[in-house]
Amino acid sequence: MSGGVSTDMVALIVFIIFFGVTIVAGSTVSRWRGRLSSNKAPEKAVQSGGHGAEDWGLGGRQFGAWVTWFLVGGDFYTAYTVIAVPALVYAVGAYGFFALPYTIIVYPFIFVVMPRLWDIAHKAGLGTAADIVRARFGSRPLELAIATSGLVAVMPYIALQLIGIRTVIEALGLPGDVPLVVAFVSLAAYTWFGGLHAPALTAFIKDIMIYIAVIAAVTVIPLHLGGYGHMFAAMNTTLPPPDGEHVLKPAQMAPYATLALSSALAAFLYPHTLTGILAAKSADTIRQNAVYLPIYTIVLGLIAMLGFMAHVAGVDTHSSSLVVPLLFQKIFPSWFVGFAFAAIAVGALVPAAVMAIGAANLLTHNILPSRYDTVNGARVAGLVVKLGALFCVLFLNAQFAIDLQLLGGVIILQTFPPLIMGLFKIRYSSVGMLAGWVIGTLVGLGLCWMDGLKPVHAVPLGGDAPTLISTGLIALIVNLLVVGVVTLAGQLAAGRSGNAAVTK
């Protein structure tokens, strides 16, 4: 891309057109959808979900397989995919590809577990993970714990989406804090007016734009660099330091594997991914999506390659988040740069909206008094969540943008025992679940703080050097141990009490 103000203006105008149209379409969806509903028979209008809090937060639970595929994929593949993964690959090489096996591992988990969760939620009218846990264990403190985890975990994840939008706006040349302000205001308006129907509609737009940008990138950029063969050969001398950082080293294998596993276990515990699941029309819809969603993983692998392409293309930056924008500016004409940047921004806007809505559902359903469980209450709650994400952007000094998502993973993983193990017939103690959550969360956050928000911790497992293990997985293991010990102790105590009563 050639320099100059006029070239920047072309990219900026194209960006504004595509990004602006998406925001307007999402923000006004409830109005024209309301007009369509008013033309239906009265009973069908009621079935469509109306405009109540459940319609705003769960789309009336009426999304079929096609819409659910785009919605779940839209909130699962985010600025994490387009900005953070290539940035990590650019900085550390093959280690950044841990996102590929994790998105493969997660789909069998969805196929087996999520239809069961949907069935429980649908029969009892439950809308959040905390609702499901309350119904299973009958514990208000445990419900609050799960709701708090979801609320806190999703804030750094939304922060990552704000960083994605800010990054492309910065690359267009807007100065100072303007990019972050634009990112926050656009997300706030889009979510406030559109509810879950906004991302459900615009996920179609987002995916089409992303696919166009990615297909162009993985076709044109390698041709510009002399082909894939030349590009891979050039990596040996291009990547710093010149010892083949693109090859996974022995010391990186344990963190690579454990990050993939912990990310897979955490992926569909988040409020936004679970919201997409609970908004589905049926359990079969979820199973169908588990079969077809791996198509997105192919795209993820191609996007991750952009980190390597940036090195070979000579992109040099101290801000890893700018890797993909700078690469596009270097290779493509300004009009396509504007389109690609809009695709990235929309790719962050759609999932950020679902994240804010999922967190708002937790606030209004499970934390605040029931009188706040209204459309306006949910809207205000969503705005509060987005403000929390903004503070994460401003005050969490993560080395890589992806670390914000992985920090959220450490927190949300601690909800795995009550939410997933609670599906089994084994009777776990609610006290044990709560104790495991408390200790697991404290251990996970403590290790993250000690390690400067890095998602792995050094564990002495023998050998010449400590082994790096996913912090979230370490905390989850501690959590499970505490759950087992406390549950067993409670059963033994109950057994002794029963024997004493029989003896008397």
Side-chain angles (χ1 to χ4, degrees):
M1 173 179 175
S2 59
V5 176
S6 60
T7 305
D8 290 339
M9 285 302 298
V10 170
L12 182 60
I13 290 170
V14 174
F15 173 86
I16 290 172
I17 290 172
F18 281 94
F19 191 51
V21 166
T22 303
I23 292 174
V24 171
S27 300
T28 59
V29 63
S30 61
R31 294 187 180 183
W32 55 261
R33 183 173 168 272
R35 294 192 185 100
L36 291 176
S37 297
S38 65
N39 294 328
K40 299 177 181 178
E43 66 273 11
K44 291 185 178 179
V46 172
Q47 290 172 3
S48 69
H51 295 287
E54 181 171 288
D55 189 58
W56 187 88
L58 284 174
R61 302 180 194 256
Q62 291 297 312
F63 294 150
W66 188 242
V67 175
T68 301
W69 190 79
F70 278 102
L71 181 62
V72 174
D75 63 47
F76 191 35
Y77 294 86
T78 68
Y80 166 91
T81 307
V82 186
I83 293 292
V85 171
L88 188 63
V89 171
Y90 177 88
V92 300
Y95 182 50
F97 278 86
F98 80 89
L100 259 69
Y102 121 57
T103 56
I104 295 170
I105 296 169
V106 73
Y107 294 116
F109 175 77
I110 297 171
F111 189 91
V112 173
V113 172
M114 290 302 153
R116 173 63 177 156
L117 272 179
W118 180 91
D119 191 55
I120 292 171
H122 182 74
K123 287 179 179 177
L126 308 175
T128 67
D131 287 344
I132 296 170
V133 169
R134 181 192 62 223
R136 172 68 174 82
F137 292 97
S139 170
R140 174 62 175 163
L142 189 57
E143 175 193 2
L144 287 173
I146 302 307
T148 302
S149 287
L151 184 63
V152 174
V154 85
M155 287 185 184
Y157 213 157
I158 298 175
L160 173 57
Q161 312 314 312
L162 291 175
I163 288 173
I165 300 173
R166 181 187 68 180
T167 297
V168 294
I169 296 175
E170 279 180 345
L172 289 168
L174 295 185
D177 294 327
V178 172
L180 186 58
V181 172
V182 172
F184 178 79
V185 172
S186 59
L187 173 61
Y190 175 85
T191 311
W192 182 281
F193 294 108
L196 193 61
H197 288 283
L201 167 72
T202 51
F204 292 90
I205 302 172
K206 170 241 180 187
D207 280 3
I208 292 170
M209 292 177 68
I210 287 289
Y211 270 103
I212 292 172
V214 170
I215 290 171
V218 300
T219 304
V220 175
I221 295 176
L223 289 175
H224 182 84
L225 299 176
Y228 273 98
H230 177 266
M231 187 179 72
F232 283 115
M235 289 176 190
N236 288 324
T237 56
T238 306
L239 293 177
D243 61 352
E245 282 284 335
H246 60 291
V247 178
L248 196 66
K249 297 180 178 178
Q252 293 177 321
M253 290 181 181
Y256 180 94
T258 55
L259 277 177
L261 178 59
S262 62
S263 297
L265 294 177
F268 276 79
L269 303 177
Y270 284 102
H272 60 287
T273 45
L274 199 57
T275 294
I277 292 295
L278 297 182
K281 185 186 296 185
S282 67
D284 283 340
T285 297
I286 298 168
R287 294 187 185 95
Q288 291 170 19
N289 276 269
V291 172
Y292 295 117
L293 275 170
I295 294 172
Y296 278 103
T297 302
I298 300 172
V299 181
L300 174 59
L302 296 173
I303 292 172
M305 288 295 299
L306 296 176
F308 285 150
M309 295 178 192
H311 275 295
V312 180
V315 172
D316 185 16
T317 176
H318 295 294
S319 175
S320 60
S321 295
L322 285 170
V323 166
V324 171
L326 291 177
L327 176 62
F328 274 82
Q329 287 179 320
K330 194 176 185 70
I331 302 296
F332 289 103
S334 58
W335 67 267
F336 190 80
V337 168
F339 173 84
F341 284 8
I344 294 171
V346 172
L349 182 72
V350 169
V354 186
M355 292 172 192
I357 290 167
N361 289 341
L362 288 172
L363 265 174
T364 56
H365 285 207
N366 306 109
I367 296 177
L368 298 175
S370 59
R371 65 178 178 273
Y372 294 105
D373 191 10
T374 63
V375 174
N376 286 333
R379 286 171 169 169
V380 172
L383 183 61
V384 170
V385 172
K386 289 186 280 287
L387 285 170
L390 183 63
F391 280 107
C392 290
V393 174
L394 296 173
F395 299 111
L396 284 182
N397 187 26
Q399 182 181 3
F400 300 108
I402 201 170
D403 289 345
L404 291 172
Q405 185 266 345
L406 293 170
L407 174 62
V410 172
I411 299 169
I412 202 66
L413 256 180
Q414 307 320 307
T415 67
F416 184 93
L419 185 60
I420 304 303
M421 293 168 59
L423 297 175
F424 302 144
K425 293 183 179 181
I426 302 173
R427 298 297 301 181
Y428 293 98
S429 162
S430 62
V431 175
M433 288 290 182
L434 185 60
W437 173 84
V438 170
I439 296 175
T441 300
L442 290 176
V443 168
L445 291 178
L447 293 179
C448 283
W449 183 262
M450 289 168 51
D451 297 327
L453 298 185
K454 292 180 180 178
V456 291
H457 182 73
V459 179
L461 297 178
D464 298 331
T467 302
L468 293 175
I469 302 292
S470 162
T471 303
L473 200 58
I474 294 171
L476 178 60
I477 292 171
V478 172
N479 186 334
L480 292 172
L481 289 173
V482 172
V483 169
V485 169
V486 174
T487 298
L488 181 60
Q491 291 173 347
L492 292 174
R496 285 195 295 268
S497 299
N499 290 336
V502 170
T503 301
K504 290 181 180 180

